[in-house]
Amino acid sequence: MRTSIGAMPYMLVYGTEGVIPVEVEIPSLRVIQEAKLDDAEWIRVRQEQLMLIDEKRMDAVCLGQLYQIRMASTFNKRVKPHQFTPGQLASKKIFPHQGKFAPNWQGPYVVHRVLLGGALILVEMDESVSTKPINSDAIKRYYV
């Protein structure tokens, strides 16, 4: 926001232009000129700053990976694995729910095949095989 004479309000109050935090962390040409560094010193400082950027980026990547590992282990603690075998009867969860009094499960189905990672291929009672695998979290055993 500039005033009518073209100066920024910060400059009118403090007598200098405002510097954003990024320019302080990684000095821009304007900040370096105000510090009155010679060219060789400027090049050395700039190279140091660029090397620090790579180091900070690697730190951020490592922290992100650690965070993902912690979140996955926290989630996996609450997961209850369901074990199914071909030929078992199962019910399938209905997504999304149609209403308050609508049924939450449909079935029975027969487990046709168990895939890696816990996915299942189901067969309807009229023996038509489903082409889509279903996550075992959305399946529960059907008891007669």
Side-chain angles (χ1 to χ4, degrees), residues 2 35 58 75 77 87 96-97 102 112 117 130-132 134 138 143-144:
R2 293 188 179 265
M58 288 303 297
F75 175 79
K77 284 180 187 175
H97 295 293
H112 179 65
S130 173
T131 58
K132 290 185 184 178
I134 297 172
Y143 296 97
V144 181

Side-chain angles (χ1 to χ4, degrees), residues 77-140:
K77 284 180 187 175
R78 291 182 278 148
V79 172
K80 297 176 185 172
H82 299 284
Q83 300 295 327
F84 292 97
T85 57
Q88 275 185 325
L89 291 177
S91 295
K92 180 170 70 170
K93 191 170 190 125
I94 298 174
F95 293 108
H97 295 293
Q98 300 297 322
K100 187 174 185 177
F101 299 109
N104 297 334
W105 299 89
Q106 65 184 8
Y109 294 95
V110 177
V111 176
H112 179 65
R113 212 167 69 173
V114 180
L115 304 174
L116 292 176
L120 305 170
I121 301 288
L122 300 178
V123 177
E124 293 191 27
M125 295 308 281
D126 64 356
E127 298 186 7
S128 60
V129 178
S130 173
T131 58
K132 290 185 184 178
I134 297 172
N135 193 343
S136 64
D137 290 344
I139 304 294
K140 70 177 184 179

Side-chain angles (χ1 to χ4, degrees), residues 21-40:
V22 173
E23 288 181 311
V24 173
E25 182 73 25
I26 303 167
S28 66
L29 184 58
R30 178 173 66 110
V31 172
I32 291 172
Q33 285 176 345
E34 288 177 5
K36 295 180 176 54
L37 297 175
D38 62 345
D39 289 340

Side-chain angles (χ1 to χ4, degrees), residues 21-22 24-27 48-64:
V22 173
V24 173
E25 182 73 25
I26 303 167
E48 288 175 4
Q49 293 295 329
L50 291 174
M51 286 189 290
L52 285 176
I53 288 174
D54 289 337
E55 194 173 307
K56 289 179 181 179
R57 187 175 293 139
M58 288 303 297
D59 288 344
V61 167
C62 290
L63 287 174

